[in-house]
C-alpha cells in the first residue's frame, strides 16, 4: 500500500464482499489525493483511507463495502485508473453508491461533474456519500438510485 501512496499516478483497487453485488446498500469507497510538495507520500490519501475505514466500520457496515478505489492523481485527469475501474464496476451494476471522505476527491471541476452526470444517466442515478463536519451528506447525481435490478 505504501508504494501506491508514494508515487503520483499510482493507483490501487481492492475488492471485498462480492456476495453483496447489486444490493442497494452496497457501495464503493473512492479516494483521490495528490502528493503535496515536500512530502514523501500522500498524507491526504492515507488520512482518507484510515478515516474512511473507521467511518465505514461505525456507520455503513463493512459488509456493504464492495471495493476501495485509490488514485494518487489530480481531479482533472479523468483517466485515473482506479476511477476508471470504479466506473466499469458501476456500469456492471455492482453498486450505485460512492463514499468519498472529501467531495473534492471526485468532483469540483467542470470535467469531473460532467463525467459523473454522464455516468449517472447511464445507470439511472448515483448517490455520492460524503462525510463533512461529523455528518453524512448524500448527494444524488441524476435520478435517485433505486433498488437495482438483476
Amino acid at each position: 500500500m505504501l508504494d501506491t501512496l508514494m508515487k503520483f499516478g499510482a493507483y490501487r483497487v481492492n475488492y471485498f464482499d462480492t456476495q453483496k453485488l447489486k444490493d442497494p446498500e452496497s457501495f464503493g469507497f473512492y479516494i483521490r489525493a495528490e502528493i503535496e510538495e515536500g512530502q514523501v507520500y500522500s498524507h491526504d490519501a492515507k488520512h482518507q483511507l484510515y478515516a474512511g475505514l473507521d467511518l465505514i466500520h461505525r456507520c455503513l457496515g463493512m459488509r456493504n463495502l464492495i471495493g476501495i478505489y485509490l488514485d494518487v492523481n489530480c481531479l482533472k485527469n479523468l483517466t485515473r485508473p482506479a476511477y476508471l475501474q470504479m466506473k466499469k464496476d458501476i456500469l456492471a451494476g455492482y453498486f450505485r453508491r460512492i463514499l468519498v471522505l472529501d467531495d473534492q476527491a471526485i468532483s469540483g471541476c467542470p470535467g469531473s461533474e460532467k463525467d459523473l452526470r454522464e455516468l449517472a444517466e447511464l445507470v439511472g442515478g448515483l448517490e455520492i456519500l460524503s462525510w463533512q463536519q461529523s455528518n453524512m451528506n448524500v448527494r444524488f447525481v441524476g435520478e435517485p438510485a433505486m433498488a437495482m435490478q438483476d
Side-chain angles (χ1 to χ4, degrees), residues 81-101:
Y83 177 70
L84 291 176
Q85 184 59 51
M86 182 179 70
K87 285 176 52 175
K88 286 179 187 175
D89 292 348
I90 290 169
L91 289 168
Y94 293 0
F95 56 87
R96 289 198 214 167
R97 300 169 76 210
I98 305 166
L99 171 66
V100 291
L101 220 27

Side-chain angles (χ1 to χ4, degrees), residues 114-131:
K114 180 179 183 248
D115 197 57
L116 279 177
R117 280 193 310 275
E118 289 172 354
L119 178 60
E121 287 175 16
L122 289 172
V123 299
L126 294 171
E127 291 180 31
I128 308 296
L129 309 171
S130 61
W131 187 254

Side-chain angles (χ1 to χ4, degrees), residues 18-132:
T18 56
Q19 299 299 314
K20 297 287 283 186
L21 294 178
K22 300 185 180 189
D23 184 307
E25 295 298 313
S26 295
F27 65 93
F29 177 27
Y30 184 70
I31 299 165
R32 187 207 54 82
E34 297 181 36
I35 299 174
E36 298 296 324
E37 189 173 323
Q39 292 182 347
V40 177
Y41 68 94
S42 177
H43 293 268
D44 189 25
K46 179 183 171 189
H47 168 75
Q48 288 181 53
L49 175 64
Y50 288 130
L53 288 172
D54 181 57
L55 172 68
I56 292 166
H57 178 73
R58 288 185 295 111
C59 301
L60 297 171
M62 293 297 285
R63 69 192 173 282
N64 297 318
L65 177 62
I66 297 298
I68 296 176
Y69 305 82
L70 185 147
D71 280 308
V72 178
N73 214 310
C74 64
L75 180 62
K76 291 181 181 179
N77 178 6
L78 297 179
T79 61
R80 301 179 305 269
Y83 177 70
L84 291 176
Q85 184 59 51
M86 182 179 70
K87 285 176 52 175
K88 286 179 187 175
D89 292 348
I90 290 169
L91 289 168
Y94 293 0
F95 56 87
R96 289 198 214 167
R97 300 169 76 210
I98 305 166
L99 171 66
V100 291
L101 220 27
D102 177 0
D103 203 36
Q104 297 298 309
I106 201 165
S107 62
C109 74
S112 64
E113 293 294 333
K114 180 179 183 248
D115 197 57
L116 279 177
R117 280 193 310 275
E118 289 172 354
L119 178 60
E121 287 175 16
L122 289 172
V123 299
L126 294 171
E127 291 180 31
I128 308 296
L129 309 171
S130 61
W131 187 254
Q132 297 171 348

